[in-house]
Each structure stands twice: as structure tokens, then as C-alpha cells.
Amino acid sequence: MIKKLPEINVLNDNNKNLKKLLLGRLRQLGDFSFTDDSWYCRKRHKDSLTKGSYTLTFYQVPDLYKVWVKYYALLCESSVSRTNKKCLNIAKLLKFIHAHYPGLSIDKINKQHVNAFEYELKLSDRSNNNKQFIYSSIQDFFSQLSNFSEMPNTIPTRNINPFRQESKKHDDKMIPENVVRKWDRAFKDESLNIPLEFRTLYWLLRSFPNRITEILSMERDCLKSFYSEYVIRIPTFKQNGGYDRGESKLIPVIYSGHGKYVIDLIKRLQLQTEQLATFPSSPEVNKEYLFVVQYWIFFNNSGDIGIRFDRRYKGKVTNWTGVKINRLLKQIAEILNILDDNNELIIPTTHQFRHNAVTDRQYVVGYTTEQIRRLTGHKNEAMTKYYTHQLIKQHKEIHLNISGLRSPKNSPCEFRGKILNLDNRTIQQLSKNPKRYLTWEANGKKGVGICSDISGCNPKGTPVHFECYACDWFVPKLEYYDDYKREYDYWQEIVERTSKDPQRVAHFENAVRNLSYLERIIAICENGIEQFKEAKLNHLEIKKHTKLYEWE
């Protein structure tokens, strides 16, 4: 007699494995149990948002269906906040079914039940966009859980969302130019009673297109300096879900003009925050953030800006949220009474400032479109080479303007003992013994340039020879024209290699700096070559010494 083998239920095995994998995600999120109706995802909480923004709640879901909404939450790839909104939307359908079809198990839910809910949703006074979001959440719920055998055999929702999303008016995102200029003047006016932390926040919003959550999550130690520039480190969190921790955006800022103004604000705020960090606070307050503030609001003090501290939290500090910032913007907008061309009061939001910063580059300290694209965190690589070229060109201009160097046409150069564009006294001095004034060695050759004023400097060269390249006393030697060009190509290759890597922004900036000075030196040489030609020196004599040069 053949013994009957036991049946193997593949579906049940798959269900068990999938549930086991999902339950394993719990410890990646926080310290809670699957049976809890409130999940605080502590391990995803890496920014300045409140605890509630990282909490999933299931109180609204009928008990009969609660376990499935929890499994869906573990499957969902959205941010914690958006996942919670989706779960609340799904709860609306399940509450409707529980009220009209009591005891109906989840596998029995069909198109008829969902259509009935859809009809009620159509009759409601919700916005069309809200209806669209509710229905898309329900679609996602049944789609994500379709691999479970306990779910309906066919997905009970429509393939196409019946609620068409209303198009957004992009013009509404922008603050009118004349309005934002008035705001800028107010926040540059040190006589106005605007606290340091709010003034700094405003200019970070205006100068760089970052989200308010990113700015409020900046750490106190967010500045790094190199040469005459700084790097501001700002964390970036993908708003529609994805990152468990923030990636750092490294934003280079020239310490000049408006860039210097923003850097100095941050430095002052760092000192203030260091003092406020000693104040008492709740355990949720992160005192490593740059924005550690007291509890205050704006009020209209007889037409002037007034500050009122909350007596309930006297002597205590907190971290700001985006909601709080928008309230403060509303308060100060009403006090300043800044009107548009139609005499209407404009109350801007932090997100509007982000959009303005993307398109309005007056305060982006010389940055070009490519740099703007990096600062926004967008991943589109279209036209990257063109934008990188524009970025390099802009930075070259910034470096040379800061140095205040003479134009190449008015700068000195030397060829076979003859020096152009220097005063006679210095020419006579150098002519006596030019070897004394040679700078450093490069490419195995001595004296790649001449120092026309060695007082207080090392005539044998400097360990960082770009200090000489950046000096007006440096005199290029035309016989080393090809060496300058080879050095230029070397730094050009470094620029191309580092331009797309935000972790190597310091290398990129340094390479652009070197390129800018080499480009100037090459221009000096080419101008000198032209001057030699115009002077109609003995052609054969020049050719004897420079037969390898193209300019001959």
C-alpha cells in the first residue's frame, strides 16, 4: 500500500516568509511591538521635524483589518509622515465597509464595496486633490498586499484613479520680484528688531534653494573653511521617502560680498547657540543643531517689530519646525505690511522662498545653474557638461576679482632677458642678476617665473607655488609657455574628475582656483608674444631661441 504524501501549501509558506521578513523590519524603525497601535520610528528620526512626523498610528483602523494596514505600513516605501497619511486614508475605506457591511472579511471585499465608497467620496465636500490621494492610497494598499493569500483574488479598485488631480498654478509658487526685494531690504536692515536666528534663517532660505527641514536640521558645526572660501554643510532628506539618514550637501561660498554676510551671520549664530545650549529643555530638543532658540513670537509694537517671549517656557529652549517658521513669516508680513502692485498683502512661505532661490540668483554668491542643480538635490544630469563649464567660468571670475590682479595686457612677462610692462627701475634691478629672483622648479626645470619684488618673500620659491601665481609681482617667462599649458591641462583634468562629486568640493574649488590663475598667466604670455611680434624683433634671433613655439 502506497502511503499518501502530505500536501504542501506553497501559498501558506510564502505568506509566513513574507510576514517574517516584514516583522524583521520593526527593529530597523524603532523600539515598538507589532501589536502597538502607535509606532514611533525613532531610528528614522534624523532631522528637526517633531516626533509626530515620525509616528504611525492605527487607532482609526477597525480591529478586523488592523493587522493588514500594519503590514502595508511595513511594505510602504514612502516617508513615515506620508505613510501615516496613506494609512489614515485606507482607514476611511475600512471604516466605511465596517459600518455598511459588518464583519466582512478582507478577502471578501470586492469592486461593489469599493464603488460604494467611491460614490460617497464623490458626494463629499473634500477637494478633488484630496479625493485623488485617498483613492490612490486604497489602490496602493490592495496592490502591495496582493501577494498574501488572505487578500481578495482580484484587486477591487479601478486601474485608473477616478478623481483627476487638479493642475497646480506654478505662478503661485513664486513671490513677486518687487515684494521679495522689499523683504530683502528689511532683513538687511540691522536697525529692525529681527532676532539673529530668524535673520540667519531668512538669508539661508533666500541664498540657497534648500527645504526648511534641511536648514533647521543643520548642525552647529556646519562651517568649514579653506583658503578664502567656506563650505556650508547642510543635510538633505528626500521628502517623498527613501533616505534613512541625511546626505550632506556641501555648499561652497566665497567669503566676499553677500557670501561673507551669510557666513558672518552663521558665525554669530554659532556663538549664540553655544550659550543657549546650556539652557534647560525637553529631552526631544537636539542641542547640536544650529537653530536652538527660545520661545518667542513677533507682535506689532505700534508699527514696529516687537518680540514677545512665552512666559510658560521662560529660560527654556527648543528647536524650530517648518510650521513655526511659516507662522513667524505671517506675523512679520502683517507687521511690515509689504504689498504687491495690487496693494495686496503677500504672506510668503518657506517653500516659496525655495522656488525663488532656484530662479533668482542675485544672492547665490556667483553660482550658476549647475551649482543650483546640485544644491536642490535634483539628480537630472542633462546638460551637465555645459553647466559645469559655466560653473568653472564663473568661479574663475570670482577668484580673479577677489585677488584684484592686473589685467593680462598690463602684466609683465620676460623673454630672453627682455622684460615688458614693468617700470624701468625694477627692470634694471632684475637685469643685474635675474637668477636671484627665480621662483620654483616645475617639470624638472628651474625658474618657471621671476619675482619682481622679493622683499619679505623667498626668492628660491615657495612650497605652495600658486601663491606666486596669484601675486601681481610674478613675471611669467615666455620660454615656459608650454609648461604653463601642460600645468593648465593637469588641473583641467582634476576639475572634470571632481566636479560631480559633492564630497570633493574642496578639491574642485582648489582646482578651479589654480585654473583661473594659470589661464591668466597663459594670457599674459600670449599678450607678450604679440608684443614681441609687434616690436618687430629680429625674426631669426627669436626663431633661434624659440623654434619649438607655435607663436613663432
Side-chain angles (χ1 to χ4, degrees), residues 192 299-306 332 334-337:
L192 292 180
F299 75 97
N300 193 331
N301 185 17
S302 302
D304 292 330
I305 298 174
I332 200 169
E334 292 171 344
I335 298 169
L336 294 174
N337 194 34

Side-chain angles (χ1 to χ4, degrees), residues 367-432:
Y367 296 154
T368 59
T369 308
E370 161 63 9
Q371 210 159 18
I372 295 296
R373 186 190 63 75
R374 288 197 222 159
L375 304 190
T376 60
H378 297 159
K379 306 299 181 184
N380 182 16
E381 292 294 335
M383 299 181 73
T384 299
K385 289 185 178 179
Y386 168 77
Y387 287 138
T388 301
H389 172 74
Q390 295 297 315
L391 173 64
I392 294 167
K393 182 180 178 182
Q394 185 72 22
H395 273 292
K396 286 178 182 177
E397 293 176 3
I398 292 171
H399 290 312
L400 294 176
N401 287 338
I402 289 175
S403 302
L405 298 174
R406 286 177 287 195
S407 71
K409 288 187 176 181
N410 298 323
S411 297
C413 62
E414 187 267 355
F415 178 68
R416 300 298 179 185
K418 185 173 180 61
I419 299 174
L420 299 180
N421 295 333
L422 265 184
D423 62 278
N424 291 330
R425 182 174 177 274
T426 307
I427 290 174
Q428 290 175 3
Q429 182 181 358
L430 293 176
S431 300
K432 293 178 182 177

Side-chain angles (χ1 to χ4, degrees), residues 318-490:
T318 185
N319 296 132
W320 268 337
T321 64
V323 174
K324 174 66 174 178
I325 299 305
N326 281 329
R327 287 175 184 164
L328 292 174
L329 286 172
K330 182 177 184 294
Q331 292 165 7
I332 200 169
E334 292 171 344
I335 298 169
L336 294 174
N337 194 34
I338 295 176
L339 308 177
D340 64 6
D341 291 337
N342 300 319
N343 285 327
E344 292 183 3
L345 178 66
I346 301 295
I347 299 176
T349 65
T350 58
H351 200 65
Q352 283 179 306
F353 278 122
R354 170 175 161 81
H355 281 282
N356 274 77
V358 171
T359 56
D360 177 6
R361 298 184 187 89
Q362 177 177 350
Y363 291 118
V364 191
V365 288
Y367 296 154
T368 59
T369 308
E370 161 63 9
Q371 210 159 18
I372 295 296
R373 186 190 63 75
R374 288 197 222 159
L375 304 190
T376 60
H378 297 159
K379 306 299 181 184
N380 182 16
E381 292 294 335
M383 299 181 73
T384 299
K385 289 185 178 179
Y386 168 77
Y387 287 138
T388 301
H389 172 74
Q390 295 297 315
L391 173 64
I392 294 167
K393 182 180 178 182
Q394 185 72 22
H395 273 292
K396 286 178 182 177
E397 293 176 3
I398 292 171
H399 290 312
L400 294 176
N401 287 338
I402 289 175
S403 302
L405 298 174
R406 286 177 287 195
S407 71
K409 288 187 176 181
N410 298 323
S411 297
C413 62
E414 187 267 355
F415 178 68
R416 300 298 179 185
K418 185 173 180 61
I419 299 174
L420 299 180
N421 295 333
L422 265 184
D423 62 278
N424 291 330
R425 182 174 177 274
T426 307
I427 290 174
Q428 290 175 3
Q429 182 181 358
L430 293 176
S431 300
K432 293 178 182 177
N433 187 3
K435 291 184 179 180
R436 285 184 57 210
Y437 301 90
L438 296 180
T439 53
W440 63 92
E441 297 182 11
N443 299 322
K445 300 177 181 179
K446 291 185 177 181
V448 183
I450 295 175
C451 178
S452 58
D453 181 10
I454 63 172
S455 57
C457 191
N458 181 1
K460 295 180 180 179
T462 165
V464 185
H465 64 254
F466 276 92
E467 291 179 8
C468 288
Y469 279 176
C471 178
D472 247 346
W473 295 109
F474 177 75
V475 180
K477 294 168 66 68
L478 295 193
E479 51 262 49
Y480 292 109
Y481 175 58
D482 290 339
D483 293 280
Y484 299 138
K485 290 200 294 185
R486 277 195 291 271
E487 204 168 359
Y488 179 90
D489 292 339
Y490 169 79

